[in-house]
Amino acid sequence: MEESSDLYDSSETNDPPAWEDHQAQHLDNLDAVERLRRKIKYYFMNPCEKYHARGRKPWKLTLQIVKIAIITIQLVSFGLSNQMVVTFKEENLMTFKHLFLKDYVDGGMDTYAVYRQTDVYDHIDYILKQYGHLHNITVGNHEYEKNGSVYTPLTVCQDYYRNGTIYPGNDTFEIDAHVDTECFKVYPMYNPSLYEVLPEFELYFKRMVSVKLTFVLKAINLQTVRHRELPDCYDFTVIITFNNRAHSGRIKIDLENDVDINECRDWKVNGASARNIWLTVLFDCLIIITCIISFTLCTRSVINGAQLQFEYAHYCMKYCSKEVPLSDKLEFVNGWYILIIVSDTLTVIGSILKIEIQTKVLTSYDVCSIFLGTGTMLVWIGVIRYMGYFRKYNILILTLRAAFPVVIRFICCAGIIYLSYCFCGWIVLGPYHEKFRTLNTVSECLFSLINGDDMFPTFKNMKQKSSLVWIFSRVYLYTFVSLFIYMILSLFITIITDTYDTIKQQQQSGTPTSELQKFLSVCKDLPNSGVFRLDENNSCFFECWINRCRKRQHQERLTSEA
């Protein structure tokens, strides 16, 4: 602006006096400060105030409301589909346990073990017989896997130490720590027997680490037909493990399966159409486009906030000769926009994975669920931003924002104490209490104690094999409960209540609490005053032209007075 005014002044025949030029420049500076003040005030307005200020329709607000609706519909649809997949996996896992584990009882995997050598051979023989008679015993549509025209065999693998001589009676042993693996293949056949199909099979119990039986079964999930979705074809890799790593005389048996979901090669279903899948894919594409638009608009708003921050910092440095404090700089960083940007990114990634799952390119339901679930959660949390436009609800948001830094510092200090109790409880009480066997269970137990859960069973289940450890456990538990419930939680609540009282007093008094608020409090222009429309419509050329006319009128007034 100074360059343009100099350019215009060079064409004048009667130059104004120096003091008049200085006064006109001062007026220009005041006008620039007022425009900056109105720009910042407009940036912090809500969508309704921005509509009254410049007539801009709240497209961003409308887009967020539409996005919440369609993302929720997408999540519910994916959740129902995922629920059928999870149910099919869990029921097949339970079926395999009842089919291939001898004398299995529901919920008995924690105690399912064998203790005699003959029992190990009997269980392996039972698995081979059940595998051979699968067609005659299963009530599902399970089938063996084929590699071309040949069935894929069942493999029996034994892991054992290479060499070893163990004499517990003499307290002597010699062992080679290298683990060898010996595998045998068993093809599906009727009336199979361990001694018939594997006559040379022998278990080295003193050196045995584990025995694994692995085979693949195929199945089709037909329950999706009722929901007008094409069925999926499943490959279940069943792994039955006889775990003897502890060599304690107790061999634990465990069954688990790895699932691969594939697109069925040749299918024909009456009453179902593939168009349903492509409609879902189109809906997911609509969500991706919506999130990209939302991402772009919010990113633009974040950039505008950063530019206003630089302008405000330049003003403070040039006219006030001081730097802007960090708290005022953070006012220009809208955390809600960043939250929406993160949620849009997660939703786009989750929608792409969902499309690949629908088209059977991928089968990673868990990864897709994490992205879609987290994105939807952040979208709904972002609704709180619009509740903040109401004065009564805004105090909650202001309290959370003001207390957040203090709460984080407080949690860091309390977390150090919490970790110290976790390590101490794990190493001292672990051998005598089930809830302290691992660091994960210790942390869960202590967190439950903080919330007042499971207190009496935690005290009661402590084994009294060692009087010293029993006394230590009492001191440990009493001090932890007293410290965290009566002191740390009370201090945490005090931080929140003090922040709430401070925010409430500030709202009632209405006095500005920061330099930025003091700077904005000078501007008394209402959103419907019309001055914000002038700031929007004035381009650089018009601003220079208006300043030029203002200076000329000022010069004419001074000439007439003289």
Side-chain angles (χ1 to χ4, degrees):
M1 292 178 60
E2 294 179 359
E3 294 178 358
S4 58
S5 60
D6 293 338
L7 180 62
Y8 282 117
D9 290 343
S10 62
S11 62
E12 295 287 340
T13 54
N14 298 322
D15 294 335
W19 66 273
E20 294 178 359
D21 218 5
H22 176 74
Q23 187 176 4
Q25 184 179 4
H26 179 67
L27 292 175
D28 291 342
N29 292 336
L30 291 177
D31 188 59
V33 171
E34 286 299 322
R35 288 198 303 271
L36 176 62
R37 187 177 283 113
R38 285 195 294 267
K39 285 174 63 178
I40 297 177
K41 186 174 182 179
Y42 177 80
Y43 176 77
F44 289 110
M45 289 181 181
N46 60 51
C48 295
E49 292 175 343
K50 289 182 178 180
Y51 175 74
H52 291 296
R54 292 184 178 178
R56 290 184 177 179
K57 294 179 176 59
W59 298 114
K60 194 184 304 180
L61 173 61
T62 305
L63 181 65
Q64 296 303 321
I65 295 174
V66 172
K67 189 180 71 173
I68 290 173
I70 60 178
I71 285 179
T72 304
I73 294 173
Q74 179 197 43
L75 185 73
V76 172
S77 175
F78 179 75
L80 294 176
S81 178
N82 191 23
Q83 185 177 357
M84 291 187 291
V85 174
V86 172
T87 302
F88 190 70
K89 290 180 181 179
E90 292 179 349
E91 291 184 356
N92 273 274
L93 177 61
M94 188 61 61
T95 299
F96 296 148
K97 290 179 180 179
H98 281 276
L99 287 178
F100 300 107
L101 298 183
K102 187 177 180 180
D103 300 328
Y104 175 77
V105 180
D106 288 342
M109 290 306 298
D110 293 337
T111 58
Y112 194 81
V114 291
Y115 303 89
R116 296 179 298 179
Q117 296 182 9
T118 56
D119 291 338
V120 178
Y121 286 108
D122 289 343
H123 277 72
I124 296 177
D125 183 67
Y126 180 82
I127 294 171
L128 295 179
K129 288 182 179 180
Q130 293 293 99
Y131 180 72
H133 290 280
L134 181 66
H135 291 98
N136 297 329
I137 60 177
T138 181
V139 296
N141 54 12
H142 300 98
E143 181 60 81
Y144 303 113
E145 183 188 39
K146 280 187 177 182
N147 187 6
S149 59
V150 181
Y151 287 116
T152 302
L154 177 150
T155 59
V156 182
C157 295
Q158 178 184 190
D159 295 334
Y160 56 92
Y161 294 116
R162 180 173 299 175
N163 292 308
T165 54
I166 303 173
Y167 300 101
N170 299 332
D171 297 330
T172 59
F173 71 94
E174 180 182 354
I175 196 164
D176 188 345
H178 292 87
V179 176
D180 290 336
T181 301
E182 182 182 17
C183 292
F184 300 92
K185 294 182 179 180
V186 179
Y187 289 88
M189 64 179 69
Y190 291 104
N191 300 321
S193 174
L194 175 62
Y195 301 103
E196 294 177 359
V197 297
L198 298 176
E200 300 178 357
F201 181 74
E202 180 183 0
L203 297 175
Y204 311 105
F205 287 100
K206 290 188 177 182
R207 293 183 290 146
M208 185 181 75
V209 178
S210 65
V211 176
K212 289 185 179 180
L213 288 83
T214 306
F215 53 91
V216 180
L217 298 178
K218 302 178 73 69
I220 300 176
N221 186 5
L222 296 178
Q223 63 176 332
T224 58
V225 177
R226 294 183 292 106
H227 300 275
R228 297 187 62 83
E229 294 183 13
L230 293 179
D232 296 322
C233 293
Y234 289 72
D235 292 344
F236 294 99
T237 302
V238 183
I239 304 173
I240 303 175
T241 304
F242 293 78
N243 188 353
N244 192 38
R245 296 180 183 275
H247 289 85
S248 60
R250 183 174 187 260
I251 299 179
K252 300 178 182 179
I253 304 177
D254 186 30
L255 186 149
E256 51 188 23
N257 63 336
D258 295 331
V259 183
D260 291 329
I261 305 176
N262 305 311
E263 183 179 7
C264 296
R265 299 177 182 177
D266 188 12
W267 54 267
K268 182 178 180 181
V269 181
N270 295 324
S273 175
R275 290 179 299 175
N276 189 22
I277 296 178
W278 294 112
L279 288 177
T280 305
V281 171
L282 289 177
F283 183 73
D284 294 332
C285 293
L286 174 64
I287 292 177
I288 292 175
I289 295 173
T290 304
C291 291
I292 291 175
I293 296 174
S294 173
F295 179 90
T296 304
L297 293 176
C298 292
T299 303
R300 187 189 67 174
S301 299
V302 171
I303 295 174
N304 291 337
Q307 291 176 349
L308 284 177
Q309 175 188 331
F310 291 139
E311 292 182 19
Y312 178 68
H314 177 71
Y315 157 78
C316 292
M317 183 61 66
K318 183 176 180 180
Y319 296 102
C320 303
S321 299
K322 61 180 180 181
E323 294 185 356
V324 180
L326 180 61
S327 58
D328 286 353
K329 289 182 179 180
L330 294 178
E331 289 289 334
F332 292 93
V333 181
N334 195 320
W336 296 111
Y337 289 148
I338 297 177
L339 183 72
I340 294 174
I341 290 173
V342 174
S343 77
D344 289 337
T345 304
L346 296 177
T347 304
V348 168
I349 297 174
S351 299
I352 294 174
L353 293 177
K354 183 174 180 292
I355 291 175
E356 293 181 344
I357 290 174
Q358 291 288 339
T359 56
K360 304 300 182 286
V361 177
L362 291 178
T363 59
S364 55
Y365 277 86
D366 294 336
V367 178
C368 182
S369 300
I370 292 174
F371 280 105
L372 289 182
T374 307
T376 306
M377 179 186 68
L378 295 180
V379 166
W380 277 97
I381 291 177
V383 177
I384 301 177
R385 173 189 176 222
Y386 305 110
M387 300 296 293
Y389 297 149
F390 303 96
R391 186 176 182 84
K392 292 183 178 179
Y393 297 99
N394 191 38
I395 191 171
L396 171 63
I397 301 174
L398 294 177
T399 302
L400 293 176
R401 184 174 64 180
F404 184 75
V406 183
V407 169
I408 292 298
R409 291 192 292 268
F410 181 82
I411 290 178
C412 290
C413 297
I416 295 175
I417 303 176
Y418 184 82
L419 286 176
S420 65
Y421 270 89
C422 287
F423 287 119
C424 181
W426 173 53
I427 198 66
V428 178
L429 305 182
Y432 303 94
H433 202 297
E434 293 182 356
K435 294 183 179 180
F436 293 85
R437 291 289 167 82
T438 63
L439 279 174
N440 185 38
T441 56
V442 172
S443 180
E444 293 173 354
C445 176
L446 295 183
F447 191 78
S448 300
L449 291 177
I450 294 175
N451 292 276
D453 298 334
D454 242 8
M455 281 198 176
F456 181 72
T458 303
F459 281 89
K460 183 181 178 181
N461 293 339
M462 183 65 195
K463 298 178 182 179
Q464 300 185 16
K465 293 183 178 180
S466 174
S467 300
L468 179 62
V469 176
W470 186 86
I471 295 174
F472 177 86
S473 68
R474 266 43 194 170
V475 176
Y476 172 86
L477 294 174
Y478 279 119
T479 55
F480 177 81
V481 171
S482 302
L483 179 62
F484 274 85
I485 293 182
Y486 302 131
M487 295 180 62
I488 293 181
L489 286 184
S490 299
L491 291 174
F492 182 81
I493 296 173
T494 302
I495 292 174
I496 303 296
T497 53
D498 288 346
T499 307
Y500 175 81
D501 293 337
T502 303
I503 298 297
K504 189 175 181 180
Q505 292 176 2
Q506 291 176 359
Q507 283 195 339
Q508 292 176 351
S509 62
T511 57
T513 57
S514 64
E515 294 296 330
L516 178 61
Q517 294 180 4
K518 292 178 182 178
F519 175 75
L520 296 179
S521 63
V522 179
C523 181
K524 303 298 182 182
D525 298 324
L526 298 176
N528 54 2
S529 62
V531 294
F532 296 96
R533 296 176 183 266
L534 294 177
D535 291 338
E536 180 187 24
N537 295 329
N538 289 339
S539 63
C540 180
F541 172 78
F542 288 109
E543 288 179 5
C544 297
W545 181 78
I546 290 174
N547 293 333
R548 171 66 180 162
C549 292
R550 186 178 301 170
K551 290 173 63 176
R552 181 171 297 177
Q553 291 175 359
H554 179 69
Q555 293 172 6
E556 292 176 355
R557 186 175 65 254
L558 292 177
T559 303
S560 61
E561 291 177 356

